[in-house]
Structures are given as structure tokens and as C-alpha cells.
Amino acid sequence: MTKERNLGAWTAATTGAGAAALATPATACCVPILAPLLVSMEPIFEADFYPNSYGFRPCRGAHAALEHLRVLLMPKPPNLPKADRSCMFQVAIEGDIKGCFDNISHHGLMERIRRKVNDRKLNRLVVAFLKAGVLSEGRFLRTETGSPQGGILSPLLANIVLSAIEERYERHCWPRHQPTLMCDKKRIRQRAYNARSRDRRKGKPVIIPVRYADDFILLVSVAQGENRLKRALDLALREKEGLARMLKDSLGLELSAEKTLITPVTLPLRFLGHRVRYQRHRYYGWLSNAVIPKHRSQRLREMIKQILHRSTCRSSLGERLKLIYRML
């Protein structure tokens, strides 16, 4: 208990109705302890993260994840026969993890950290960070699961846990460790391309993930033949159940039943507030693009109009621009 209190309790706050609780660290432990811990751990794990992961990582963001997904959905080159120019994937699993930061298993997380870090002092600091507890409305609450969502170390810990999703599909996206360890990125990409091509020729399914934090999409491809879409839907359903079991058993996480959907790629896919679509253009044929939904852009325009309405003319332009910047 002494080690847990040395890091200080967390302060809990809610951001609105239905929103997840946000825990922020005590000031005394944030800079002198957690920041050096982050600087020490991030290079170790960042070197082994997969390129299909984009959330909470340096020099990566939501737009890069959307572009990666858009490129994967692009049709094959036009020099191929017309029957082979369609999208290589038939179905997508739109995945979302329910209460990711609140339900991470401490045991599963520490197992994954100890694979890379053998320093006992550093591991004890991570455990103390996880077990520090939360101070909510004057009451001290123990934290048996989860990682405080407002901590500077929590995004890295979430990526360490959720990289298990990419590991499940390592053969098709980034086979760095199998069959042998490889460090050359070009050769790893070629190995992944060869594995996908070989499996397609043998009639085996191909699954590629794209993940941003706890929001991810799995693209599913099956061999050509009769009832291709139906076979892809059946495979996606089995894969969704298998992934849910793996996350629950090893990491204590659950897929959100409302937000985890199985969708054909010809329908709009919901990802990071955008709609990623694979559709036929009247001039250019089949294309893939990522667009902002109309109702979201319309809502943004209405909010800007309210801020710049004539009734707000008594406020200075600088004050109104600050409100717009804050909203954006």
C-alpha cells in the first residue's frame, strides 16, 4: 500500500452524460515520475509496434489511418483483366472496444510489458501507477483493473495491450518475427505481400487490420468462387467471435456489441468520424474515398454561424475566433 500511495491518488472527473470518467494524476507524481517512465518505455515498445497502428504514436495520426484504409480498398491496377480489377476485400469488421481504458487487465498488461522489460524497478513503478487508486468526490477507490485515462502513460499502455490485435494477423500485415526475425522494412513488406499472395492462391482467407487506439477495422478477403460475399460474411462472423474471446480471456476487454459491425465494403464504413466508401464513379470507375458525413459538416457550419451571429457583435472578433479554434 505504501508504494501505491507514493505515486499519489488520481482525481476522477466526468466530461458529460454518458461520457467515460477521466482520471488525472496528482501534480507531484506527473512530471518527476511518470514523464521519465514514459521516456524510458516508449522507445522500447515503439520499435516493435506495427505500422497498421496509428493512435497515440509519434508522427502518426487519424488522417494517416484513414489514408491507409482508403489505399487498401482501392481496386487493382487497370492492366489486369476486368474480372480481377475489383477490390481485394469483400467484408469489413468495424470494431470498437467497450471501456478500453477502464477494463484493461493488469495481469495481462504486465505480462506483455515483462516480455520486453526485465527491470524490476521499472515494472514495480508501472504496477504502482496502475494500483494508485482514484479519489472521487472525497472517497478513495481502489483500481483493480484499467489504466487512468488522463495519465500521460496510459496511451502507451493501451497500445501495448491492443497490439495483440495486430499480432493475431501478423502474417498478412507485418510478419517481422515469423518465420525468422527480420529488421529490413522493405523485406518485411515483401514477405507480407508474398504471404498474402500465397494464401490467396491456395484459397485461404486474408485479414488485414487498421487500428487507431481502441477503434479498428479488419478487412476480410476470401477466395474467388460462388457465394463469395456469403462466405466472407460467415468468416467475418467467426473471426469476430474468435477475436472477442481472445481479448476477453487474455486482456479482460470486450467488444462493444452496438459499435462492432460486419459490413460489406460496398457500403460506407464508419471509422474515426468519417465514412470510407468503395464505390463506382461515373467517370473514373471504382474508387475508394473517405468523406465527412453530411450531418456532421452541417452541424459544424451551424455552430460557426451561431458564434458569428449578429447578436454576438458586442464581442470582439478575437474572442469569437478563440471560440471557433476551441471548437475545432
Side-chain angles (χ1 to χ4, degrees):
M1 188 63 186
T2 304
K3 292 178 182 177
E4 296 171 5
R5 287 180 176 174
N6 283 342
L7 283 184
W10 299 79
T11 304
T14 55
T15 56
L22 180 67
T24 56
T27 307
C29 75
C30 182
V31 176
I33 299 178
L34 297 184
L37 193 60
L38 176 65
V39 172
S40 302
M41 293 179 61
E42 189 174 43
I44 299 173
F45 291 97
E46 183 65 31
D48 210 37
F49 282 154
Y50 291 77
N52 301 58
S53 167
Y54 289 90
F56 309 132
R57 296 183 58 188
C59 303
R60 287 173 173 263
H63 292 288
L66 288 166
E67 179 63 15
H68 190 168
L69 180 60
R70 190 192 68 82
V71 171
L72 287 173
L73 290 175
M74 287 181 64
K76 293 182 180 179
N79 56 351
L80 295 176
K82 187 175 181 180
D84 298 332
R85 290 207 302 264
S86 60
C87 179
M88 294 183 292
F89 303 95
Q90 296 78 49
V91 175
I93 303 174
E94 305 174 49
D96 187 87
I97 296 176
K98 184 177 180 181
C100 175
F101 285 92
D102 299 331
N103 299 315
I104 293 175
S105 169
H106 292 174
H107 177 70
L109 170 60
M110 292 309 301
E111 273 191 347
R112 298 183 66 82
I113 291 178
R114 291 188 182 103
R115 295 178 191 174
K116 296 290 183 182
V117 180
N118 294 324
D119 191 318
R120 294 184 179 181
K121 293 182 179 179
L122 189 145
N123 290 336
R124 283 199 296 267
L125 277 175
V126 176
V127 173
F129 166 79
L130 296 172
K131 301 290 187 181
V134 177
L135 189 63
S136 176
E137 297 180 355
R139 294 186 304 167
F140 177 78
L141 305 175
R142 295 183 179 275
T143 51
E144 301 298 333
T145 60
S147 176
Q149 193 166 348
I152 61 175
L153 194 61
S154 295
L156 175 62
L157 299 181
N159 268 333
I160 293 172
V161 169
L162 296 176
S163 61
I165 297 175
E166 289 88 47
E167 288 179 5
R168 183 178 175 90
Y169 311 104
E170 177 181 7
R171 172 177 170 81
H172 294 144
C173 65
W174 196 249
R176 180 185 178 188
H177 300 93
Q178 297 177 0
T180 56
L181 180 63
M182 186 180 290
C183 298
D184 188 354
K185 293 184 178 180
K186 291 184 178 180
R187 295 180 62 188
I188 297 174
R189 292 193 188 97
Q190 187 63 38
R191 178 188 281 182
Y193 175 80
N194 293 338
R196 293 194 297 268
S197 302
R198 193 159 47 244
D199 287 351
R200 286 194 178 98
R201 288 196 301 269
K202 294 180 179 180
K204 297 181 179 180
V206 174
I207 302 177
I208 297 182
V210 178
R211 181 176 64 83
Y212 185 93
D214 60 342
D215 193 6
F216 63 91
I217 280 187
L218 303 179
L219 297 177
V220 180
S221 172
V222 296
Q224 294 184 0
E226 296 182 357
N227 300 323
R228 191 179 189 187
L229 180 59
K230 183 178 182 303
R231 289 187 285 114
L233 289 171
D234 293 340
L235 174 64
L237 181 59
R238 294 195 301 271
E239 189 59 37
K240 174 184 172 182
E241 295 173 352
L243 179 62
R245 284 195 301 270
M246 185 272 290
L247 292 174
K248 181 65 175 177
D249 295 341
S250 60
L251 303 173
L253 301 175
E254 294 184 14
L255 291 180
S256 173
E258 299 81 12
K259 298 181 180 180
T260 303
L261 307 174
I262 298 176
T263 311
V265 296
T266 52
L267 298 178
L269 307 178
R270 299 181 303 172
F271 189 55
L272 302 179
H274 289 67
R275 296 291 186 268
V276 184
R277 299 181 295 183
Y278 172 72
Q279 59 182 0
R280 180 182 288 277
H281 192 275
R282 60 184 301 181
Y283 298 119
Y284 304 108
W286 286 99
L287 295 174
S288 60
N289 59 0
V291 297
I292 300 175
K294 290 183 178 180
H295 70 277
R296 288 181 178 270
S297 58
Q298 179 64 27
R299 185 175 63 183
L300 178 62
R301 285 193 291 268
E302 291 176 355
M303 294 172 67
I304 293 176
K305 286 180 180 178
Q306 290 178 1
I307 294 175
L308 299 178
H309 193 262
R310 64 176 62 183
S311 61
T312 63
C313 62
R314 293 186 179 182
S315 301
S316 65
L317 179 61
E319 292 176 352
R320 287 182 283 179
L321 289 177
K322 285 181 180 179
L323 294 176
I324 295 177
Y325 294 154
R326 191 179 307 167
M327 180 178 59
L328 297 176

